[in-house]
């Protein structure tokens, strides 16, 4: 057995890891730096069983070596937002060790317990909180052991930097390493019986009082970043195993076209190429990557396009949605009598907002490596957010056991391009599974740029109808939010089944339709209030490039673009300032506090109508506010924009943010996460729209699917964070995204007097509206 | 037919067997196993594959290996963990980039630019970095990092 780089690392209790990998021969572990994902490079990976991952045992979560180095085994992964660093802070804090002593390992279904993958901004708020409990329990167990060894009651002991000492006697000590080094705790840990996001652990010990925090709340530098910038870290794109072939997929000329015949002679001139065709799945593999690319381009396929395509186009999409039959409708909230209040109102307001399909459009399209066999399973290497589900899906694809502890497929996660939800990441690795199974060799599949934009699952398009009744007293007496659009889980956010993947659908796996929509999150105390939705069928049933799924903050941007734009419309219609209007109706103190904080930060100037100001350069300038809750977090954003009257270009010159994420773990990295949300949110608000016609999707690259450029980056971002230690940490990965679109649209209204209710606010669209308004 | 090509990368000579039209990127990632330049688009639209060829930042994903006649510098060769390049140090300290997939392009394009233009304005930096993509939206931190490194490089 070859465990090369492990020896150079401060990995506590290597035996556990080594045991985890026994049974499969040689294994090279690619620990590129402490704290990075566990990322094996050898396909002859171990079978499960040697290390039982029992969530109800402390050893599943925490290990300490003789030097006192602590390893925490984390069952999610970090996509570059510093979550593993934040968790190492929480573990260090609760264990009373220095931050340098803690390594958080993650990314291997055979070594860590499933805590749900990247999901709903729950990295710190769920999985980190669970590991904090494990750390507290480990500290308690160590104190109890020390009590016996030192012949002192636990309450006479104290811990300083991993050394237990008798209170008031610094010469009477025992270190964590002395007590437990390289040994198992071998004790139970209270577990709530759940796997995934809902997994909770509970220590017998009382958690540390936040007033005594030393590491939590400080700006520890991201542990992953040096290895990626120097650059030594192995990304999933670098996955290589002996005997590996390179795969490329071939996509049809129109959506849903089926394969009639394949002319394999058309690639006879390229050495070593195999063509894999199964139903409507078609790909090529070759020993050399460039040969696979050339073959995928040269291969002649005869397609049947008689039943392909879409019933509408991106230009006509929103009228299509309006007219489409609702397949499922729900009213998740209905307070009072909205209909009566609207009916009795003399001038009810009613407007509609439109949002397009948007692509995750990752920096690179999906990549994955699979080394699988029908009889025995195998290993997949992926950057999927839900890599535990990748293993389950792979086992199902192979017809193998896919439940319980002994799934014969190991999934190894490695860093990849940011994913932002159910992107294409899961689809590429499952393509690799199909190809590996077919050719009997490890296959690495890299999707090309066009696949990464045209063929990823899309953020759903929608039309949102907003109605309100405002009485003669200026008070809002009714408000009705109605969302009509595509399900946010036409394919599941988890690739747990072949039918939820593109490969599976092309192979004919069918699934029951999943209607999942969303509703607004705020605390406006309007007397009569209704949230309702209609979900409509996807534009193609199966194997569609316009299948929809979660895109960072699923439906959050779409919904709050409408809701928070409409709140501004209501404010102005009653002659009120948008900030004052919000403060008048909000009922929750945390919401009021972030709005007041951001208004102070931005030196908000009250207004009761669009100000339509021009600066010295002839740019139209304005500011706009927006706010929303998300789960237990709340954010308010003020955007300051310049609109070029000649070109229609909108530039957000400044962003101001008021945020409340409960307990702040790492302020510096949290600011970077907020900035990322602001700028990606800007991109989606101003530029992003998937274009398609009756035949297929035409957004295929960065020219046809433009996103934010460095020229669009603001001059300044200012953030005020309200720290609420008593609440514990709340999710921060994505909640700002939903606040951005309306902040920009409201600022554009202040600058131009024009209300934009259709996203994105492209320069062409803004210019056309400015010209029409003259 | 596959041919032999001699390329000099980060001061080391390599002999690559490849089709003449194979982009340099595949030699760097598959033959040399470099971790800096990455496949992003294959269309010269994002910059993730950027290397410096004879002082000029080029997109290795569209540069045929047969066209590489001069010295190539990559992110893998500009610094070490113990002795990072000022740009690397600044990107680490600023936590520029989230997923880091794109960061190679920003650093290498900045490097080529700052070596030619040690005295620069913010607007010139933005112009020099035009066309690069960062899907995580970390442009603010990237700009902070480049400004900070530029100050250090200018002394």
């Amino acid at each position: 057995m070859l465990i090369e780089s492990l020896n150079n690392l401060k990995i506590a209790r290597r035996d556990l890891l080594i045991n985890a990998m026994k049974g499969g021969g040689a294994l090279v572990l690619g620990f590129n730096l402490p704290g990075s994902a566990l990322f094996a490079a050898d396909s002859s990976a171990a079978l499960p069983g040697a290390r039982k991952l029992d969530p109800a045992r402390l050893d599943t979560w925490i290990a300490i070596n003789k030097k006192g180095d602590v390893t925490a085994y984390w069952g999610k992964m970090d996509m570059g937002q510093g979550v593993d660093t934040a968790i190492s802070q929480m573990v260090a804090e609760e264990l009373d060790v220095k931050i340098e002593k803690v390594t958080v390992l993650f990314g291997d279904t055979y070594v860590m317990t499933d805590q749900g993958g990247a999901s709903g901004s729950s990295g710190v708020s769920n999985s980190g909180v669970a590991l904090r409990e494990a750390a507290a329990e480990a500290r308690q167990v160590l104190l109890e052991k020390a009590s016996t060894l030192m012949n002192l009651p636990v309450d006479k002991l104290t811990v300083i930097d991993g050394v237990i000492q008798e209170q008031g006697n610094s010469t009477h000590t025992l270190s964590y390493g002395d007590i437990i080094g390289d040994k198992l705790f071998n004790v139970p840990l209270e577990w709530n019986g759940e796997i995934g996001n809902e997994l909770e652990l509970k220590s017998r010990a009382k958690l540390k009082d936040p007033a005594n925090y030393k590491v939590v709340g400080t700006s520890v530098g991201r542990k992953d970043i040096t290895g990626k910038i120097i650059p030594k870290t192995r990304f999933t794109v670098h996955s290589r195993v002996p005997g590996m072939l390179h795969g490329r997929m071939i996509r049809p000329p129109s959506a849903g076209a089926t394969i009639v015949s394949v002319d394999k002679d058309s690639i006879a001139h390229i050495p070593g190429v195999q063509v894999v065709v199964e139903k409507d799945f078609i790909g090529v593999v070759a020993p050399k990557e460039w040969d696979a690319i050339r073959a995928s381009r040269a291969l002649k396929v005869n397609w049947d396009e008689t039943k392909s395509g879409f019933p509408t186009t991106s230009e006509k999409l929103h009228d299509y949605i309006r007219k489409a039959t609702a397949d499922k409708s729900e009213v998740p909230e209905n307070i009072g009598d909205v209909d009566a209040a609207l009916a009795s109102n003399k001038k009810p307001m009613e407007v509609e907002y439109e949002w397009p399909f948007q692509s995750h459009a990752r920096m690179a399209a999906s990549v994955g490596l699979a080394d699988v066999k029908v009889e025995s399973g195998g290993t997949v290497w992926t950057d999927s957010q839900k890599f535990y589900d990748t293993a389950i899906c792979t086992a199902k694809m192979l017809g193998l056991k896919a439940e319980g502890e002994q799934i014969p497929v190991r999934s190894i996660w490695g860093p990849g391009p940011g994913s932002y939800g159910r992107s294409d990441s899961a689809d590429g690795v499952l393509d690799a599974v199909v190809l590996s199974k077919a050719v009997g060799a490890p296959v690495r599949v890299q999707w090309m740029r066009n696949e990464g934009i045209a063929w990823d699952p899309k953020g759903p398009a929608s039309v949102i109808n907003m109605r309100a009744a405002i009485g003669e007293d200026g008070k809002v007496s009714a408000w009705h939010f109605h969302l009509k659009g595509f399900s946010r889980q036409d394919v599941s956010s988890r690739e747990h089944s072949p039918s939820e993947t593109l490969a599976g659908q092309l192979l004919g796996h069918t699934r029951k339709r999943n209607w999942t929509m969303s509703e607004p999150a705020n605390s406006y105390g309007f007397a009569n209030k209704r949230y309702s939705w209609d979900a409509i069928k996807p534009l193609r049933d199966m194997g569609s490039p316009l299948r929809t799924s979660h895109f960072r903050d699923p439906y959050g941007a779409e919904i709050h673009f409408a809701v928070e734009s409409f709140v501004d419309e209501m404010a102005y219609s009653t002659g009120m300032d948008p900030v004052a209007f919000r403060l008048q109706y909000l009922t929750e103190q945390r919401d009021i506090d972030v709005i007041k904080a951001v208004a102070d930060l931005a030196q908000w100037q009250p207004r009761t109508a669009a100000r339509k100001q021009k600066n010295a350069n002839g740019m139209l300038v304005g500011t706009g506010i927006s706010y929303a809750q998300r789960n237990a977090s709340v954010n308010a954003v003020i955007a300051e924009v310049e609109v070029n009257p000649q070109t229609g270009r909108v530039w957000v010159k400044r962003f101001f943010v008021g945020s409340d994420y409960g307990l702040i773990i790492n302020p510096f990295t949290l600011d970077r996460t907020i900035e990322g949300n602001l700028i990606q949110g800007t991109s989606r608000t101003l530029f992003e729209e998937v274009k398609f016609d009756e035949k297929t999707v035409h957004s295929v690259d960065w020219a046809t699917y433009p996103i934010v450029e460095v020229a669009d980056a603001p001059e300044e971002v200012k953030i005020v964070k309200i720290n609420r230690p008593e609440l514990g940490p709340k999710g921060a990965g994505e909640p700002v995204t939903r606040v951005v679109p309306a902040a920009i649209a409201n600022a554009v209204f202040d600058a131009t007097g024009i209300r934009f209710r259709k996203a994105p606010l492209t320069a062409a669209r803004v210019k056309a509206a400015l010209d029409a308004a003259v | 037919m596959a041919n032999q090509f001699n390329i000099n990368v980060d001061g080391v000579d390599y002999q690559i067997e490849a089709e003449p039209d194979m982009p340099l990127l595949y030699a760097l990632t598959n033959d040399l196993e470099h971790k800096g330049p990455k496949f992003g688009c294959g269309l010269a639209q994002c910059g993730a594959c950027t290397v410096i060829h004879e002082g000029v930042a080029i997109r290795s994903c569209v540069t045929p290996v047969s066209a590489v006649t001069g010295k190539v510098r990559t992110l893998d060769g500009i610094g070490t963990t113990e002795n990072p390049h000022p740009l690397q140090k600044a990107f680490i300290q600023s936590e520029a980039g989230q997923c880091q997939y794109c960061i190679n392009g920003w650093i290498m394009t900045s490097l080529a630019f700052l070596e030619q233009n040690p005295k620069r304005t913010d607007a010139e930096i933005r112009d020099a970095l035009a066309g690069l993509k960062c899907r995580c939206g970390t442009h603010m931190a990237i700009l902070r990092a480049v400004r900070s490194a530029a100050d250090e490089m200018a002394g």
Side-chain angles (χ1 to χ4, degrees):
Chain A
M1 180 172 299
L2 185 59
I3 309 281
E4 273 184 349
S5 42
L6 266 179
N7 295 320
N8 302 322
L9 287 168
K10 299 188 300 179
I11 305 300
R13 222 181 61 235
R14 291 200 316 268
D15 60 304
L16 264 191
L17 283 173
I18 293 163
N19 282 337
M21 291 145 200
K22 271 182 185 160
L27 186 81
V28 181
L29 283 175
F31 280 106
N32 297 301
L33 75 166
S36 79
L38 180 70
F39 197 49
D42 190 333
S43 66
S44 58
L47 290 171
R51 179 171 181 253
K52 189 170 157 63
L53 291 179
D54 180 355
R57 304 294 297 175
L58 182 56
D59 293 305
T60 299
W61 305 102
I62 300 279
I64 298 176
N65 71 8
K66 283 184 179 148
K67 290 190 287 178
D69 301 319
V70 177
T71 301
Y73 297 90
W74 179 41
K76 286 183 181 282
M77 21 40 82
D78 179 57
M79 308 291 284
Q81 295 181 314
V83 184
D84 57 321
T85 302
I87 288 174
S88 71
Q89 291 178 253
M90 296 165 79
V91 167
E93 187 70 71
E94 219 56 50
L95 258 171
D96 278 320
V97 298
K98 286 189 187 299
I99 183 71
E100 298 79 24
K101 301 292 270 183
V102 179
T103 298
V104 175
L105 286 183
F106 55 99
D108 189 326
T109 57
Y110 278 15
V111 182
M112 296 88 188
T113 299
D114 181 7
Q115 290 183 280
S119 177
S121 302
S122 62
V124 168
S125 61
N126 293 24
S127 64
V129 165
L131 280 165
R132 185 170 68 174
E133 294 284 343
E137 185 63 24
R139 183 179 182 276
Q140 181 66 26
V141 171
L142 289 160
L143 279 171
E144 288 163 0
K145 286 181 186 292
S147 167
T148 306
L149 292 166
M150 296 167 79
N151 201 22
L152 284 166
V154 166
D155 62 9
K156 296 288 179 212
L157 299 174
T158 186
V159 185
I160 298 169
D161 295 338
V163 178
I164 298 174
Q165 68 173 58
E166 180 182 356
Q167 279 174 12
N169 180 3
S170 61
T171 60
H172 191 196
T173 64
L174 261 182
S175 75
Y176 284 176
D178 293 338
I179 300 169
I180 198 80
D182 290 336
K183 289 184 296 214
L184 293 171
F185 285 96
N186 211 11
V187 296
L189 175 62
E190 188 180 329
W191 166 49
N192 69 346
E194 300 283 342
I195 288 288
N197 288 348
E198 283 72 41
L199 186 149
E200 289 176 16
L201 303 173
K202 181 80 184 134
S203 171
R204 295 168 297 140
K206 190 165 173 269
L207 291 179
K208 193 184 268 188
D209 181 345
N212 299 325
Y213 280 166
K214 292 180 195 141
V215 186
V216 166
T218 65
S219 292
V220 174
R222 261 174 60 193
K223 292 192 170 200
D224 66 305
I225 200 164
T226 301
K228 292 173 182 171
I229 285 177
I230 291 308
K232 303 289 181 201
T233 298
R234 190 197 310 273
F235 281 62
T236 301
V237 74
H238 301 124
S239 302
R240 303 284 185 274
V241 292
M244 182 186 88
L245 302 172
H246 290 274
R248 285 297 184 282
M249 301 302 298
I250 291 114
R251 303 295 169 197
S254 54
T258 54
I259 298 166
V260 177
S261 61
V262 179
D263 175 11
K264 292 184 183 174
D265 290 343
S266 59
I267 53 166
H269 60 291
I270 304 173
V273 182
Q274 300 177 70
V275 181
V276 175
V277 187
E278 197 178 335
K279 294 188 178 166
D280 294 313
F281 176 101
I282 178 165
V284 294
V285 296
K288 292 200 150 210
E289 187 167 18
W290 185 238
D291 288 340
I293 294 168
R294 292 195 300 148
S296 70
R297 289 171 178 166
L299 184 68
K300 287 193 179 134
V301 182
N302 183 12
W303 298 93
D304 178 352
E305 297 186 70
T306 54
K307 289 178 187 162
S308 62
F310 301 116
T312 187
T313 68
S314 45
E315 300 308 310
K316 301 176 198 160
L317 175 63
H318 295 97
D319 281 336
Y320 174 90
I321 293 172
R322 283 186 184 89
K323 288 175 195 154
T325 306
D327 288 277
K328 177 144 190 199
S329 302
E330 274 188 18
V331 183
E333 188 159 331
N334 199 4
I335 298 168
D337 192 339
V338 168
D339 293 330
L342 281 164
S344 64
N345 190 266
K346 283 183 189 152
K347 252 179 78 182
M349 295 174 68
E350 179 171 6
V351 289
E352 290 191 334
Y353 297 84
E354 299 174 353
W355 196 273
F357 286 116
Q358 292 185 328
S359 168
H360 298 78
R362 299 196 303 158
M363 264 310 289
S366 190
V367 69
L369 166 60
D371 184 8
V372 296
K373 291 189 171 56
V374 171
E375 58 273 21
S376 57
T379 305
V380 290
W381 289 260
T382 179
D383 54 32
S384 167
Q385 290 185 201
K386 309 284 162 59
F387 64 101
Y388 285 85
D389 296 285
T390 318
I392 292 167
C393 189
T394 302
K396 288 180 183 171
M397 282 252 192
L398 299 169
L400 297 169
K401 175 175 150 33
E403 286 174 3
E405 291 172 22
Q406 302 288 317
I407 297 171
V409 175
R410 178 181 186 184
S411 177
I412 297 174
W413 182 90
S419 176
Y420 328 112
R422 171 60 168 90
S423 68
D424 57 350
S425 59
D427 293 309
V429 68
L430 269 303
D431 285 343
V433 168
V434 176
L435 294 173
S436 174
K437 177 185 161 191
V439 302
V443 176
R444 171 185 177 273
V445 168
Q446 169 74 67
W447 279 20
M448 302 302 278
R449 184 67 270 165
N450 63 312
E451 295 171 278
I453 293 176
W455 287 90
D456 73 313
K458 302 295 182 291
S462 63
V463 174
I464 294 176
N465 179 287
M466 300 291 316
R467 295 192 298 161
I470 298 176
E472 282 166 21
D473 58 356
K475 292 276 193 297
V476 178
S477 59
W479 116 303
H480 182 195
F481 160 93
H482 182 73
L483 162 67
K484 188 173 184 187
F486 301 96
S487 170
R488 67 176 166 92
Q489 290 207 58
D490 175 36
V491 290
S492 170
S493 61
R494 295 182 178 279
E495 63 271 27
H496 53 75
S497 168
S499 60
E500 307 297 340
T501 67
L502 185 56
Q505 294 195 355
L506 294 173
L507 292 171
H509 293 269
T510 56
R511 51 87 175 84
K512 211 176 141 195
R513 207 164 283 303
N514 178 343
W515 308 108
T516 310
M517 306 294 275
S518 292
E519 58 266 1
N522 54 50
S523 72
Y524 295 116
F526 304 129
N528 300 289
K529 181 172 174 181
R530 184 192 299 158
Y531 296 159
S532 58
W533 56 255
D534 291 329
I536 64 172
K537 280 190 188 70
L539 296 180
R540 281 200 70 82
D541 189 26
M542 301 292 275
S544 171
L546 294 177
R547 66 202 185 285
T548 46
S549 194
H550 285 179
F551 181 19
R552 184 186 247 177
D553 190 11
Y555 254 132
E558 294 88 330
I559 286 172
H560 297 90
F561 169 59
V563 166
E564 284 294 302
S565 292
F566 191 61
V567 169
D568 257 40
E569 296 202 53
M570 292 196 297
Y572 289 127
S573 81
T574 60
M576 277 190 78
D577 170 62
V579 168
F581 182 86
R582 284 174 171 83
L583 292 175
Q584 181 183 342
Y585 287 101
L586 288 173
T587 57
E588 292 178 19
Q589 193 59 44
R590 292 174 69 203
D591 302 16
I592 292 164
D593 289 349
V594 293
I595 287 183
K596 283 185 174 169
V598 78
D600 283 349
L601 185 70
Q603 299 181 299
W604 176 263
Q605 303 294 312
R607 79 294 302 261
T608 54
R611 294 174 299 173
K612 297 193 261 187
Q613 295 173 326
K614 254 189 191 184
N615 71 9
N617 300 323
M619 298 291 155
L620 304 165
V621 294
T623 58
I625 188 166
S626 165
Y627 119 95
Q629 303 174 345
R630 188 179 193 282
N631 295 337
S633 303
V634 56
N635 286 280
V637 170
I638 289 173
E640 176 186 329
V641 302
E642 286 189 8
V643 181
N644 184 323
Q646 263 69 53
T647 63
R649 175 179 184 251
V650 176
W651 178 45
V652 183
K653 188 176 182 183
R654 288 191 184 85
F655 269 123
F656 303 89
V657 182
S659 71
D660 176 351
Y661 295 106
L663 168 70
I664 296 167
I665 307 293
N666 186 318
F668 185 84
T669 305
L670 175 55
D671 282 352
R672 304 290 79 72
T673 292
I674 292 170
E675 285 178 350
N677 275 269
L678 291 171
I679 294 182
Q680 193 182 71
T682 300
S683 185
R684 292 176 64 187
T685 306
L686 297 180
F687 307 113
E688 297 184 31
E689 175 171 17
V690 172
K691 302 278 192 178
F692 61 98
D693 61 15
E694 282 94 350
K695 201 175 169 198
T696 197
V697 175
H698 294 287
S699 294
V700 292
D701 58 18
W702 298 122
T704 51
Y705 191 78
I707 63 167
V708 68
E709 293 274 336
V710 70
D712 305 306
E715 197 172 274
E716 186 177 31
V717 172
K718 290 178 94 169
I719 300 165
V720 57
K721 300 185 291 296
I722 299 172
N723 190 26
R724 297 192 191 275
E726 70 280 9
L727 296 180
K730 305 302 173 193
E734 56 193 331
V736 180
T737 290
R738 62 172 55 185
V739 191
V740 172
I744 295 175
N746 291 341
V748 171
F749 177 78
D750 182 39
T752 65
I754 299 168
R755 175 59 60 184
F756 287 87
R757 301 192 185 96
K758 186 181 183 73
L761 281 69
T762 59
R765 222 166 248 162
V766 172
K767 174 67 174 155
L770 286 169
D771 290 348
V774 172
Chain B
M1 285 299 289
N3 296 342
Q4 301 271 350
F5 296 97
N6 296 310
I7 57 174
N8 182 287
V9 180
D10 298 324
V12 180
D13 289 321
Y14 297 92
Q15 199 170 59
I16 303 295
E17 192 177 299
E19 297 293 324
D21 62 347
M22 183 185 85
L24 171 63
L25 174 65
Y26 297 100
L28 297 174
T29 55
N30 289 338
D31 296 284
L32 277 56
E33 297 193 12
H34 274 36
K35 302 291 188 291
K38 292 185 187 69
F39 174 78
C41 64
L43 303 163
Q45 290 180 349
C46 77
C49 65
T50 302
V51 299
I52 297 176
H53 182 241
E54 291 296 308
V56 179
I58 62 162
R59 306 286 166 88
S60 69
C61 73
V62 294
T63 305
V65 68
S66 56
V68 179
T69 52
K71 292 192 168 163
V72 174
R73 290 162 68 201
T74 76
L75 181 62
D76 298 64
I78 67 168
T80 62
T81 310
E82 298 71 31
N83 188 22
H85 187 277
L87 274 161
Q88 290 174 310
K89 199 168 85 184
F91 272 67
I92 291 166
Q93 283 172 351
S94 305
E95 296 191 357
Q98 275 181 9
C99 74
Q100 303 296 333
Y101 199 93
C102 69
I103 219 69
N104 170 75
W106 295 94
I107 294 178
M108 296 310 284
T109 307
S110 298
L111 178 58
F113 170 70
L114 292 176
E115 284 180 343
Q116 309 278 331
N117 307 273
K119 290 183 181 166
R120 82 296 170 256
T121 64
D122 278 8
E124 285 165 349
I125 290 176
R126 288 196 191 222
D127 282 349
L129 299 176
L132 297 170
K133 303 295 184 291
C134 168
R135 185 52 166 155
C136 297
T138 72
H139 304 72
M140 301 302 292
I142 288 171
L143 288 168
R144 276 180 216 119
V146 176
R147 284 193 288 262
S148 157
D151 291 344
E152 187 176 337
M153 288 167 72

